[in-house]
Amino acid sequence: MNPAAGGPCQGIRNSIPSLLTLGCESEVVCMDAPNETFGMDDPFIVHRIGRSRGPWAYSSGLLPWLMQNLTGYDAVIIHGLWLYHSYAVTRAIKKLSQDRSFALPKVFVMPHGMLDPWFQRDPSRRLKAIRNWFVWKLVEQRVIARADAVLYTCQKELELAREPFQPYRPQQEINVGYGVAKPPEFDPCFDAAFRTTVPDLDGRPYLLFLSRIHPKKGVDLLLRAYTSVLSRANGLGKVPALVIAGPLDSDYARQMQQFAADLKLSDVHFPGMLSGDAKWGAFYGCDAFVLPSHQENFGIAVVEALACGKPVLISNQVNIYNDIESDGAAYSETDTPEGTESLLRAWLSTNEASRQAMSTKALECYQARYLPAAAAGKFLQAIDRE
C-alpha cells in the first residue's frame, strides 16, 4: 500500500470509503512489512503479511493466509497482474474448491491497465515483453479465465486488453469506471506547504507534472518540448516554470534530473514526491497539469487536477482523454516530441478568458464523470451480479 508504487493503492483508498456508504465493508491484504503504514492512517483493515521477494514478488505467507481466510469473504478483488499474488489467489480458490462444505467467494481481476498492448510493443520493454508472454502462458491466462469477471476502469482499457495476448477468454468484461476522492477545499496553508518544497519558484506561475517519474510517463518528451518552447517563445509571452513532482529514488528519475541539468533548464524543479498539504498546494497553485504519457489506463492524478479546477494537457494515450477533451477541460496530442511541444504551445497561446473557462469546465467534468459515489455503485453492482 505504499503510495509511491503508483495508482492501484490510491484507487483502493479512493473506493473503499464510498463502498462502505453502500454497505460494503472491505479489507486489504498486501505484501508490506507489518509495521509499514507509510504515514497513512487508513480507515479500513489492512493485513500486512510481510515483504515479498524477487521480481515475481513472491510471499511465503500469502497462500497460507488465503487458505485460512478466503472463505470469510463474499468477493475477492485481485488488483494487478504479473506478480505472485494473482497466482496465489487462483491457486487458493482451486484448492479450497475441493471441499464443498462451504461457499467460495467470487473472484474478480482488476488489471489497472496491465493488459495494455503498450507494455508488449514498446521497444524499451522487449525483454519484459518476452517475460510477460511466458507468464501469460503459464499463469495469467488461467487467472483471467477462471475469474468471475475482469473489471476495467474505462471502456478504452477494456477494449485494449483484448489485443496483446491469446487465448484471452474472460467470463465477463465489465467497465466499472473509477472514482477519485474529492480534494480538500483550498486553504492558503496548502500553497505555503508546497512553496517550501520549491523555494526557487519564488511565487512564479508553473505547469505541474505529478506522477511517478517513469519511462512510460513521457518525462523526457516533456523536458525536450519545454526546451524547444523556451528557445522559440516569441509571441507566447513568458513561459511558466515546470515542476516535475514524483519519487526521485529510481535510476530514471536521476537520469531526468541530469537531463534537465544538461539542457540548462534552470526553471525546471524536482521537489520529489509530494503528499498532504504540499500535494494539494501544487495542484491548486498550478496554471495547468501536464502528462504526456505513453500509456495511462485511467490517470488518477489527471482527475485530481480536474477536481481542483485545473485544465489538463495530456497525450492521447491517457485512456480517458477523449471524455475530458470533449468536456472542454483538456488539450490532447500524440505522445511524441512534436505532440508534447504542441500541447505546451496550445496552452501558452490560450488567452486568460479561455483559460478561466477551461478551469470551470475542468471542475464540471470531474463532478459529472468521476465522483467516487457513482463509481462505487457501478463497482458494487458488478461484483454483486448473480
Side-chain angles (χ1 to χ4, degrees):
M1 292 295 285
N2 185 350
C9 62
Q10 185 57 52
I12 290 168
R13 290 187 170 101
N14 286 339
S15 64
I16 286 179
S18 294
L19 288 169
L20 184 60
T21 65
L22 299 176
C24 178
E25 296 185 13
S26 305
E27 299 180 7
V28 173
V29 58
C30 63
M31 277 71 80
D32 294 332
N35 61 343
E36 285 182 306
T37 63
F38 310 104
M40 308 187 78
D41 185 19
D42 288 315
F44 48 85
I45 295 172
V46 180
H47 303 278
R48 299 177 175 88
I49 61 172
R51 289 185 179 180
S52 59
R53 301 193 308 273
W56 198 33
Y58 172 75
S59 169
S60 61
L62 180 57
L63 186 57
W65 190 95
L66 294 171
M67 292 295 296
Q68 184 175 352
N69 293 282
L70 271 188
T71 56
Y73 298 93
D74 298 309
V76 178
I77 317 298
I78 300 171
H79 287 277
L81 297 169
W82 309 120
L83 300 176
Y84 173 71
H85 71 289
S86 62
Y87 166 81
V89 172
T90 305
R91 176 70 173 159
I93 290 291
K94 183 176 180 180
K95 293 177 71 173
L96 289 169
S97 67
Q98 297 170 8
D99 184 347
R100 299 182 180 275
S101 64
F102 45 73
L104 292 175
K106 294 180 180 179
V107 177
F108 302 89
V109 177
M110 200 162 190
H112 294 279
M114 296 180 190
L115 292 176
D116 193 290
W118 178 84
F119 292 103
Q120 293 302 104
R121 296 173 182 170
D122 186 75
S124 69
R125 291 181 50 86
R126 189 165 298 155
L127 291 178
K128 290 182 179 178
I130 294 170
R131 174 257 190 192
N132 282 359
W133 187 88
F134 280 105
V135 175
W136 175 263
K137 291 296 184 182
L138 294 172
V139 178
E140 301 297 4
Q141 65 170 314
R142 294 174 179 82
V143 172
I144 294 294
R146 292 173 180 171
D148 291 273
V150 184
L151 310 178
Y152 296 98
T153 60
C154 64
Q155 184 63 26
K156 186 67 172 177
E157 184 198 359
L158 184 155
E159 294 168 0
L160 288 172
R162 298 168 179 168
E163 297 182 15
F165 299 103
Q166 297 298 325
Y168 172 73
R169 300 191 182 104
Q171 295 184 40
Q172 292 186 84
E173 300 167 291
I174 307 174
N175 171 19
V176 295
Y178 221 29
V180 173
K182 184 179 179 182
E185 295 294 332
F186 174 75
D187 189 299
C189 72
F190 297 168
D191 184 66
F194 167 66
R195 295 285 176 173
T196 60
T197 70
V198 197
D200 292 343
L201 266 181
D202 196 27
R204 297 193 308 282
Y206 61 93
L207 299 174
L208 176 67
F209 169 101
L210 190 151
S211 188
R212 286 185 302 143
I213 301 177
H214 183 277
K216 82 163 187 169
K217 301 290 184 176
V219 179
D220 57 323
L221 300 180
L222 182 55
L223 291 173
R224 288 189 177 95
Y226 189 73
T227 302
S228 183
V229 167
L230 284 175
S231 67
R232 296 182 289 176
N234 292 339
L236 294 175
K238 181 155 179 68
V239 178
L242 175 62
V243 173
I244 298 177
L248 298 175
D249 56 355
S250 68
D251 289 342
Y252 181 76
R254 288 185 283 270
Q255 290 168 13
M256 292 301 98
Q257 288 178 285
Q258 185 59 54
F259 188 34
D262 293 342
L263 293 172
K264 296 181 171 56
L265 295 174
S266 60
D267 225 1
V268 174
H269 307 273
F270 291 84
M273 181 177 172
L274 300 179
S275 60
D277 290 355
K279 169 186 168 179
W280 295 118
F283 275 122
Y284 277 118
C286 70
D287 284 1
F289 179 84
V290 57
L291 181 65
S293 187
H294 296 297
Q295 186 277 328
E296 211 71 41
N297 72 293
F298 182 80
I300 289 176
V302 173
V303 177
E304 288 178 328
L306 297 174
C308 293
K310 298 300 174 180
V312 296
L313 317 176
I314 53 180
S315 78
N316 59 10
Q317 301 305 304
V318 177
N319 282 346
I320 58 174
Y321 87 94
N322 196 44
D323 289 338
I324 304 172
E325 190 171 47
S326 68
D327 286 351
Y331 291 139
S332 71
E333 268 289 355
T334 58
D335 58 325
T336 62
E338 299 79 12
T340 308
E341 183 176 344
S342 293
L343 277 180
L344 299 183
R345 289 186 173 277
W347 175 252
L348 294 172
S349 300
T350 302
N351 62 41
E352 185 58 29
S354 297
R355 291 184 181 188
Q356 289 299 321
M358 287 184 73
S359 293
T360 299
K361 291 175 181 176
L363 184 56
E364 291 173 348
C365 174
Y366 166 72
Q367 293 172 337
R369 296 183 183 273
Y370 304 117
L371 289 174
K378 289 180 66 177
F379 186 92
L380 190 57
Q381 184 180 36
I383 66 174
D384 199 32
R385 290 182 179 183
E386 294 298 335

